């Protein structure tokens, strides 16, 4: 049964009115392991062949916790457990940014508050359509076991959360993923949402100036380098090391907040959009008192860095380039292709053929040599033959952030 998208506000007294040109946003939500990310990414990929489309995983918009305590290095903020409201506010800003870049729609995936659900009142820049994915408890348990690393207590928490969603949101658009593959689930999602985004058309949206996000001073450590050099893995270790030492820090992966494809085949990175998205997230995080952020992502050249510094003029950006030789990069590319490394949406290496992985490794080596020749970065850290904690420890020491 198809239904029309519900505007974020129908009553002006409930909050700011939805922008008349609000971006169509489809938010797939449900418990972990239900298939949100996989289905959303598949939809994003298919839509981007015919209309300019963006995608974001809501988890990537909330890696900013309350100040660390002796017992918990990443505690939930008391005023926003789960950081659902923070994620929604960031999604609202990203919707404005990708609309400015020319996007016709945005696909989002992520968990929501078990009682409140999707808080559309925090999304005036978005015309939100929601669809809940669910699965029977035995199926969820099986999928969680397949992921590995989830203990019995974590599994029971997920099952309890899924039961709460079933109990609190019985009238929501909903697709049961039990025993169904991605194609079947996606077909049902399209049916539930009336073929979303049916009214977005195929014409390219007019490109507008990006919004400005004024922010006060702070520090951003940006880890860059060639493909498979270890940016995300080392960056996360730096973030965790600082947080465990009691220094409040947040984390952003530029690739994960920069999924936007104009209609047609693949396109180059849009650093203007990524810089605007980073400035938006930084503003939201800084409003909570944060002054330090770890960022990971590629830098193409010196002009790339100028783009980000223009978007964040009051922030000190420290660029740390990780370097690896040809053999190390080739080995890491192969491991990523086999599924090792962080499980993140849009991994361009996972599942690629051996021939394609060799090509990617050659390209990565050439990029590393070019960055080396241009001496890109305020810091350079060699990663060959070293463990992740060792590399992260050097980064923290050289920054002077270990004091």
């Amino acid at each position: 049964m198809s239904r029309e998208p519900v505007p974020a506000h129908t009553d002006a007294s409930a909050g700011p009115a939805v922008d008349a040109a609000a971006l169509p946003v489809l938010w797939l939500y449900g418990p972990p392991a239900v298939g949100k990310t996989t289905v959303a990414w598949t939809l994003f990929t298919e839509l981007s062949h015919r209309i300019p489309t963006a995608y974001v995983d809501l988890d990537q918009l909330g890696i900013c916790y309350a100040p660390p305590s002796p017992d918990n290095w990443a505690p939930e903020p008391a005023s926003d457990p789960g950081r659902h409201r923070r994620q929604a506010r960031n999604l609202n800003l990203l919707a404005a940014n990708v609309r400015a870049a020319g996007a016709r729609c945005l696909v989002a995936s992520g968990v929501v508050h078990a009682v409140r659900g999707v808080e559309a009142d925090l999304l005036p820049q978005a015309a939100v359509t929601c669809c809940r994915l669910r699965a029977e408890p035995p199926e969820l348990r099986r999928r969680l076991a397949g992921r590995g690393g989830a203990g019995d207590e974590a599994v029971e928490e997920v099952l309890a959360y899924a039961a709460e969603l079933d109990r609190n949101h019985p009238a929501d658009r909903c697709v049961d993923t039990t025993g169904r593959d991605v194609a079947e689930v996606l077909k049902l999602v399209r049916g539930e949402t009336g073929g979303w985004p049916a009214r977005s058309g195929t014409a390219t949206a007019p490109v507008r100036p990006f919004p400005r996000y004024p922010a006060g001073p702070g520090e951003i450590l940006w880890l860059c380098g060639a493909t498979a050099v270890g940016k995300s893995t080392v960056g996360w270790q730096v973030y965790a090391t600082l947080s465990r030492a009691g220094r409040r820090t947040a984390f952003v992966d530029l690739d994960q907040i920069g999924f936007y494809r104009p209609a047609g085949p693949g396109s180059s990175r849009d650093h203007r959009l990524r810089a605007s998205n980073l400035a938006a997230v930084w503003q939201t995080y800084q409003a909570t008192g944060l002054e330090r952020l770890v960022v990971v992502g590629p830098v193409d050249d010196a002009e790339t860095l100028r783009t980000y510094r223009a978007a964040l003029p009051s922030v000190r950006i420290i660029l740390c380039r990780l370097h690896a030789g040809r053999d190390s990069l080739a080995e890491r590319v192969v491991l990523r292709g086999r599924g090792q490394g962080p499980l993140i949406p849009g991994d361009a290496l996972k599942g690629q053929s051996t021939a394609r992985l060799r090509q990617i490794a050659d390209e990565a080596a050439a990029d590393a040599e070019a960055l080396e020749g241009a001496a890109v970065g305020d810091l350079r850290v060699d990663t060959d033959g070293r463990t992740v904690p060792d590399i992260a420890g050097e980064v923290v020491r050289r920054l002077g952030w270990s004091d």
Side-chain angles (χ1 to χ4, degrees):
M1 176 177 167
S2 65
R3 309 179 183 108
E4 292 297 321
V6 178
H9 286 299
T10 56
D11 179 357
S13 66
V18 174
D19 189 315
L23 184 75
V25 172
L26 175 63
W27 188 332
L28 297 179
Y29 73 97
V34 79
K36 304 180 297 297
T37 301
T38 304
V39 173
W41 182 262
T42 303
L43 178 58
F44 161 65
T45 302
E46 292 183 5
L47 285 173
S48 66
H49 288 297
R50 61 181 177 87
I51 56 175
T53 308
Y55 166 77
V56 68
D57 180 336
L58 272 293
D59 285 346
Q60 300 292 329
L61 301 183
I63 310 176
C64 176
Y65 294 83
S69 69
D71 301 321
N72 190 346
W73 65 274
E76 296 290 354
S79 61
D80 185 18
R83 293 152 289 121
H84 302 301
R85 297 178 68 82
R86 187 171 301 166
Q87 291 169 353
R89 290 188 177 99
N90 279 330
L91 177 60
N92 182 60
L93 299 178
L94 263 63
N97 286 345
V98 298
R99 184 182 61 178
R104 300 291 295 180
C105 60
L106 185 154
V107 182
S109 59
V111 299
V112 300
H113 192 280
V115 176
R116 298 194 303 265
V118 173
E119 297 181 74
D121 61 303
L122 299 176
L123 294 155
Q125 300 290 337
V128 183
T129 299
C130 306
C131 185
R132 179 166 65 92
L133 303 187
R134 71 171 308 279
E136 290 299 315
E139 178 82 354
L140 270 184
R141 191 182 295 276
R142 182 185 64 79
R143 295 181 192 178
L144 289 165
R147 285 184 170 188
D152 292 341
E153 185 176 347
V155 170
E156 294 308 317
E157 287 179 1
V158 170
L159 294 176
Y161 172 72
E164 279 194 90
L165 289 177
D166 279 343
R167 197 162 49 245
N168 295 324
H169 303 279
D172 288 4
R173 298 177 182 87
C174 184
V175 170
D176 196 317
T177 69
T178 305
R180 293 182 168 126
D181 62 22
V182 174
E184 291 175 301
V185 173
L186 186 52
K187 182 178 180 180
L188 292 171
V189 167
R190 285 180 166 135
E192 278 291 307
T193 60
W196 184 95
R199 296 188 176 186
S200 65
T202 57
T204 301
V207 177
R208 312 175 182 185
F210 287 110
R212 300 293 295 179
Y213 299 101
E219 289 184 304
I220 290 178
L221 168 64
W222 182 351
L223 289 145
C224 69
T227 297
V229 76
K231 299 181 290 294
S232 297
T233 306
V234 173
W236 185 265
Q237 183 69 45
V238 169
Y239 158 69
T241 298
L242 291 168
S243 298
R244 287 192 172 100
R247 292 164 180 81
R248 189 169 177 229
T249 313
F251 179 87
V252 170
D253 184 327
L254 289 175
D255 284 339
Q256 294 298 312
I257 64 168
F259 289 126
Y260 167 59
R261 295 178 184 170
S267 59
S268 60
R269 291 183 285 265
D270 186 338
H271 284 294
R272 288 183 63 246
L273 172 60
R274 290 183 177 205
S276 189
N277 284 346
L278 179 60
V281 172
W282 171 254
Q283 177 183 268
T284 302
Y285 289 174
Q286 196 174 50
T288 71
L290 187 81
E291 296 180 350
R292 185 174 288 167
L293 178 64
V294 175
V295 170
V296 299
V299 171
D300 297 329
D301 48 36
E303 182 61 32
T304 300
L305 188 56
R306 284 193 285 271
T307 298
Y308 288 84
R309 284 182 168 149
L312 292 154
S314 299
V315 179
R316 180 187 178 215
I317 299 177
I318 308 159
L319 190 64
C320 177
R321 176 170 54 88
L322 303 181
H323 180 75
R326 177 178 292 272
D327 291 344
S328 293
L329 289 173
E331 180 182 1
R332 294 171 194 176
V333 165
V334 169
L335 291 175
R336 281 264 303 277
R338 292 174 180 169
Q340 295 189 28
L343 296 175
I344 54 177
D347 190 336
L349 276 63
K350 185 177 180 181
Q352 295 288 351
S353 67
T354 301
R356 176 58 183 147
L357 291 174
R358 280 199 296 264
Q359 181 183 6
I360 292 171
D362 288 341
E363 293 168 353
D367 287 344
E369 291 172 8
L371 292 169
E372 186 84 341
V376 169
D378 303 301
L379 301 175
R380 175 198 181 276
V381 175
D382 203 313
T383 66
D384 282 341
R386 301 176 66 186
T387 65
V388 171
D390 181 38
I391 299 165
E394 179 182 342
V395 172
V396 172
R397 286 192 302 273
R398 291 179 64 182
L399 286 171
W401 285 4
S402 56
D403 300 330

